């Protein structure tokens, strides 16, 4: 294994592991804008072959693509697949696979339907439990366990008021404008 590194103005922009010296690794995502204009180039693209080999383009992708081409024609079906691939920039890969499978099962062969099914899959996933607060960190607050909250005395403090701010605002609006 060799490491390919891309630099620009002394800053590392990307690193990729390639199998042999002189080998190239193409990222399908980098070609999607060009492919949406020329969808006929996707089936023979080296980047697609490499994405398949890496497991990023799965049999679910292929099955949905075949069904989309059958429903919309080769050009429009391929364009719909490229739109789905563009979704992976904003949605987790595992949710996208679940969304593709659900859309395929229901016969929904548009990128919008896949996006909807993907978001439903993401919403269905249980949220991670709250992490305990790290001392000195202000980013999160760990909730008290229910047993501890049940033993706390009731909070008898008055509710906060913004009346003082309202008075300041009124005083300021009474001033003549220049």
């Amino acid at each position: 294994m060799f490491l390919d590194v891309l630099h620009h103005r002394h800053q590392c922009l990307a690193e990729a592991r390639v199998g042999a010296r002189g080998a190239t690794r193409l990222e399908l995502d980098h070609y999607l804008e060009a492919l949406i204009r020329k969808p006929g180039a996707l089936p023979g693209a080296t980047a697609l072959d490499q994405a398949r080999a890496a497991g990023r383009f799965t049999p679910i992708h292929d099955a949905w693509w075949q069904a989309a081409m059958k429903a919309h024609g080769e050009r429009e079906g391929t364009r719909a697949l490229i739109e789905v691939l563009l979704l992976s920039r904003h949605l987790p890969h595992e949710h996208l696979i679940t969304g593709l499978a659900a859309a395929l099962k229901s016969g929904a062969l548009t990128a919008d339907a896949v996006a909807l099914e993907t978001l439903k899959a993401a919403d269905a996933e249980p949220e991670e439990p709250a992490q305990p607060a790290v001392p000195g960190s202000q980013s999160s607050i760990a909730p008290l366990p229910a047993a501890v909250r049940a033993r706390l005395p009731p909070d008898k403090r008055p509710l906060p008021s913004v009346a003082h701010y309202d008075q300041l605002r009124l005083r300021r609006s009474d001033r003549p404008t220049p």
Side-chain angles (χ1 to χ4, degrees), residues 14-37:
E15 292 183 357
R17 295 193 187 283
V18 291
R21 186 175 299 280
T24 58
R25 181 174 146 221
L26 304 176
E27 189 66 41
L28 181 59
D29 183 67
H30 297 170
Y31 298 92
L32 295 177
E33 283 82 8
L35 289 169
I36 199 100
R37 286 182 275 124

Side-chain angles (χ1 to χ4, degrees), residues 72-140:
H72 305 295
E74 191 171 327
R75 181 176 178 81
E76 291 308 312
T78 300
R79 184 172 278 133
L81 173 73
I82 295 166
E83 290 173 3
V84 167
L85 294 173
L86 285 165
L87 291 172
S88 66
R89 293 179 177 175
H90 309 285
L91 300 167
H93 182 73
E94 59 276 359
H95 293 157
L96 186 63
I97 300 300
T98 304
L100 270 169
L104 179 61
K105 184 177 180 182
S106 68
L109 302 170
T110 65
D112 290 339
V114 173
L116 179 65
E117 292 296 334
T118 302
L119 292 172
K120 285 169 43 178
D123 288 343
E125 186 173 284
E127 291 185 27
E128 294 180 17
Q131 298 294 322
V134 177
S137 169
Q138 298 176 356
S139 63
S140 65

Side-chain angles (χ1 to χ4, degrees), residues 145-171:
V148 173
R149 285 194 314 263
R151 288 185 275 138
L152 290 175
D155 188 1
K156 295 181 181 177
R157 295 177 292 177
L159 292 174
S161 170
V162 293
H164 293 89
Y165 297 105
D166 286 341
Q167 290 174 359
L168 290 172
R169 187 176 49 86
L170 289 173
R171 281 190 214 152

Side-chain angles (χ1 to χ4, degrees), residues 57-69 100 104 109:
F57 194 91
T58 66
I60 296 291
H61 285 89
D62 269 322
W64 190 90
W65 186 15
Q66 293 305 317
M69 286 193 299
L100 270 169
L104 179 61
L109 302 170

